[in-house]
Amino acid sequence: MPAIRIVHRSPLAPAEAWRRLTDWERHGAQVPLTRTIIDTAPPTHVGTVFTARTGVGRITFDDRMEVVVWRPPSAASGDGSAGLVRLVKRGRAVRGWAEIEVRPRAAGGTEVHWREELRLRGLGRPFDPLVAAAGRFLFGRALARLLRP
């Protein structure tokens, strides 16, 4: 599976960055021709399921995801612990996993680590570099838009 790694720094506080990055419907609005369908009642928790549907007309594919780790950042303890959400991709066309980690920065603001490994059905290993490059571009752009001050 191609590995996608993105690091992004933001002036936003960790709690605000977390709120924006885990607003699944906003994710769909950042990716062209995509909308997000939430299958589980809010708030997000381990077991939440949602689908990012991408396409036009009858030509679509679903990226169905389940939250398997849900650990929001905590400032309550004074140590400013990082937040982590891990998603497992359970669709027919898209498989793999994604993690979004939100870390407080000593100088203020947040550092976000987006890690993802995905496999697109029908595309073999020779396409891994292309899938990884497209993923870094699309997810990097979505990340920057979600965290705009």
Side-chain angles (χ1 to χ4, degrees):
M1 289 187 182
I4 297 162
R5 306 288 185 263
I6 302 165
V7 176
H8 183 89
R9 290 191 175 119
S10 168
L12 296 173
E16 178 60 14
W18 178 264
R19 185 189 68 75
R20 291 180 184 201
L21 291 170
T22 60
D23 181 345
W24 310 122
E25 290 173 328
R26 286 188 69 217
H27 275 252
Q30 306 311 315
V31 179
L33 306 173
T34 301
R35 68 184 174 101
T36 305
I37 303 152
I38 311 295
D39 300 321
T40 311
T44 297
H45 56 281
V46 169
T48 292
V49 175
F50 59 95
T51 303
R53 178 165 288 150
T54 301
V56 177
R58 292 176 174 245
I59 303 171
T60 63
F61 70 90
D62 289 347
D63 183 2
R64 186 169 175 80
M65 292 169 262
E66 179 180 352
V67 175
V68 296
V69 173
W70 178 257
R71 196 172 60 230
S74 171
S77 63
D79 66 356
S81 64
L84 176 70
V85 61
R86 182 177 174 93
L87 309 167
V88 174
K89 297 171 172 287
R90 303 191 188 280
R92 289 180 10 167
V94 183
R95 305 290 267 176
W97 57 268
E99 291 180 340
I100 302 170
E101 185 175 10
V102 173
R103 301 177 183 176
R105 296 183 64 217
T110 302
E111 184 173 275
V112 175
H113 291 250
W114 183 308
R115 298 176 289 269
E116 187 152 348
E117 290 190 6
L118 59 95
R119 171 77 54 215
L120 299 178
R121 184 176 175 199
L123 294 181
R125 287 196 186 285
F127 291 94
D128 284 358
L130 179 62
V131 170
R136 278 190 297 277
F137 173 76
L138 286 172
F139 301 141
R141 189 174 82 166
L143 180 59
R145 287 179 173 180
L146 288 165
L147 294 176
R148 273 192 196 136

